[in-house]
Amino acid sequence: AQKVTQAQTEISVVEKEDVTLDCVYETRDTTYYLFWYKQPPSGELVFLIRRNSFDEQNEISGRYSWNFQKSTSSFNFTITASQVVDSAVYFCALSEELNTGNQFYFGTGTSLTVIP
Amino acid sequence: NAGVTQTPKFRVLKTGQSMTLLCAQDMNHEYMYWYRQDPGMGLRLIHYSVGEGTTAKGEVPDGYNVSRLKKQNFLLGLESAAPSQTSVYFCASSALQSGSNQPQHFGDGTRLSIL
């Protein structure tokens, strides 16, 4: 079974629109960590955020915000007033406290295209 | 600050050839990883290491071997390359911090084509 599901394969929005990328995870651990990464067209993977399972506060960083809801096992990512530079593939990942070596389970990614 | 460096960046091999991908990190991280990225499949873990001299299998280890003789280096080997191993390979590292799983930091990737 997939531990991290990103059901949206591709999304296209027009510049300045808001967009939400969904991430649903599955774990039996009580302590776990969730991450978002960005992969722009140049190919590198850029770390965006880490959230632990005990901190359900939403987080905002500029135009980016994250909504963590344990009740629905979701960790969604919203970009407000999207820009062309936001075009990238975004990955959600899960790391369980008890796994060996801080292994990550990645979703299959959501490809976001922002149209000027 | 280099972070995680992968060499080479691109390589074309013929079926049956062997090669080694090198990953080096300068952050003194304990953990290192090798992933492959294929269209529609996200990142899949090939092998990982929790410290110098130790390695373990990930989700898709078949056809690959690894070694971690030095803490800063993690090598990925293909003994007999197959077309199914055509992929983009990423190395990553992360710090060991008890009770707090840290982000993984990635190299820029190696694009490998097997003909």
Side-chain angles (χ1 to χ4, degrees), chain A residues 31 33 35 37 39 42-45 47 50 89 91 95-104 106-109, chain B residues 31 33 35 37 40-45 48-50 57-58 90 94-95 99-108:
Chain A
T31 304
Y33 299 80
F35 302 81
Y37 284 80
Q39 187 176 41
S42 50
E44 72 274 22
L45 283 145
F47 164 67
R50 178 188 73 151
V89 180
F91 291 97
S95 178
E96 297 163 320
E97 182 189 39
L98 298 179
N99 73 27
T100 305
N102 189 26
Q103 293 177 66
F104 278 24
F106 281 90
T108 51
Chain B
Y31 300 148
Y33 315 85
Y35 293 89
Q37 183 178 22
M41 304 191 75
L43 289 115
R44 294 183 293 167
L45 184 64
Y48 66 100
S49 168
V50 300
K57 294 180 180 180
F90 284 97
S94 72
S100 178
N101 293 17
Q102 297 299 301
Q104 293 184 8
H105 299 269
F106 286 82
D108 290 340

Side-chain angles (χ1 to χ4, degrees), chain B residues 44-82:
Chain B
R44 294 183 293 167
L45 184 64
I46 304 171
H47 286 280
Y48 66 100
S49 168
V50 300
E52 182 178 323
T54 70
T55 63
K57 294 180 180 180
E59 179 187 355
V60 289
D62 294 343
Y64 305 96
N65 57 75
V66 288
S67 65
R68 185 133 180 239
L69 300 179
K70 294 182 179 181
K71 185 177 182 179
Q72 64 267 33
N73 295 338
F74 195 29
L75 279 65
L76 177 71
L78 287 73
E79 290 187 346
S80 180

Side-chain angles (χ1 to χ4, degrees), chain A residues 7-112:
Chain A
Q8 304 152 307
T9 305
E10 295 181 357
I11 300 176
S12 291
V13 298
V14 177
E15 199 171 21
K16 298 184 182 177
E17 287 184 344
D18 299 347
V19 58
T20 296
L21 310 182
D22 297 334
C23 174
V24 174
Y25 61 91
E26 179 183 334
T27 180
R28 293 182 178 180
D29 284 14
T30 55
T31 304
Y32 52 90
Y33 299 80
L34 296 162
F35 302 81
W36 276 95
Y37 284 80
K38 174 182 180 180
Q39 187 176 41
S42 50
E44 72 274 22
L45 283 145
V46 179
F47 164 67
L48 295 178
I49 190 171
R50 178 188 73 151
R51 176 54 53 88
N52 75 54
S53 53
F54 296 106
D55 181 4
E56 288 194 73
Q57 270 194 323
N58 290 335
E59 181 155 343
I60 298 174
S61 176
R63 295 184 298 105
Y64 294 173
S65 62
W66 289 269
N67 181 8
F68 176 34
Q69 292 196 339
K70 288 177 77 170
S71 60
T72 55
S73 296
S74 65
F75 186 42
N76 296 338
F77 174 27
T78 297
I79 301 174
T80 303
S82 60
Q83 300 176 2
V84 172
V85 293
D86 296 326
S87 295
V89 180
Y90 291 87
F91 291 97
C92 179
L94 164 73
S95 178
E96 297 163 320
E97 182 189 39
L98 298 179
N99 73 27
T100 305
N102 189 26
Q103 293 177 66
F104 278 24
Y105 300 98
F106 281 90
T108 51
T110 297
S111 177
L112 173 66

